[in-house]
């Protein structure tokens, strides 16, 4: 049971990192497009984007902790190991998080929900991958 908890925790952190990467990539893409080939401006923008990316990671961890515990408990209880399930659960958690973060119906029509659904989808797949890799590593020992 303890190894399952540590694998789940590692998978959750990796998923939060993956979601942060997806969300931060949008900002980095906008930065690249607006730098117009100026490398110094691009590097400055990357440095400036580090604190917001760290904040996104922390907020992602805080908002997803309880929903992830529920999903992990559910999957352990019913022995669910399907990548599609984790990806869909991550997408649902992403939609839930942006809905909680920005309590406005306009968020659903702005396209911002799509970004968080994609980030959650990637986070769910990352969680599944890390869980599989950590389980395989424990089995080979």
């Amino acid at each position: 049971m303890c190894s399952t908890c540590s694998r789940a925790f590692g998978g959750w952190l990796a998923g939060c990192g993956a979601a942060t990467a997806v969300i931060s990539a949008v900002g980095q893409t906008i930065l690249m497009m607006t730098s117009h080939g100026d490398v110094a401006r691009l590097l400055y923008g990357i440095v400036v984007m580090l604190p917001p990316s760290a904040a996104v990671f922390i907020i992602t961890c805080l908002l997803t902790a309880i929903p992830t515990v529920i999903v992990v408990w559910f999957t352990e209880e019913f022995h669910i190991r399907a990548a599609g399930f984790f990806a869909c659960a991550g997408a649902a958690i992403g939609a839930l998080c942006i809905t909680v973060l920005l309590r406005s119906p306009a968020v659903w029509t702005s396209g911002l929900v799509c970004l968080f659904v994609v980030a959650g989808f990637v986070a769910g797949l990352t969680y599944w991958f890390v869980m599989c890799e950590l389980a395989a590593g424990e089995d080979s020992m």
Side-chain angles (χ1 to χ4, degrees):
M1 187 63 169
C2 186
S3 66
T4 302
C5 291
S6 64
R7 282 196 319 253
F9 183 72
W12 171 67
L13 283 178
C16 288
T20 300
V22 169
I23 293 168
S24 297
V26 172
Q28 291 292 340
T29 302
I30 292 169
L31 182 65
M32 285 190 311
M33 291 185 331
T34 60
S35 71
H36 302 293
D38 184 2
V39 176
R41 186 175 173 191
L42 180 64
L43 290 175
Y44 174 75
I46 290 171
V47 171
V48 168
M49 288 290 292
L50 288 176
S53 295
V56 168
F57 178 75
I58 291 167
I59 292 168
T60 300
C61 289
L62 292 173
L63 287 175
T64 63
I66 293 172
T68 301
V69 166
I70 294 168
V71 169
V72 169
W73 172 82
F74 184 80
T75 57
E76 288 299 317
E77 187 71 23
F78 295 103
H79 304 288
I80 299 171
R81 303 288 181 261
F85 178 84
F86 287 103
C88 290
I93 291 171
L96 174 71
C97 287
I98 191 61
T99 302
V100 168
L101 203 58
L102 302 174
R103 296 179 184 212
S104 169
V107 79
W108 285 92
T109 58
S110 69
L112 195 57
V113 169
C114 292
L115 173 63
F116 279 76
V117 166
V118 169
F121 187 88
V122 171
L125 284 179
T126 302
Y127 176 86
W128 171 81
F129 181 76
V130 168
M131 286 292 287
C132 288
E133 288 296 312
L134 292 175
E138 285 181 3
D139 291 341
S140 65
M141 289 184 169

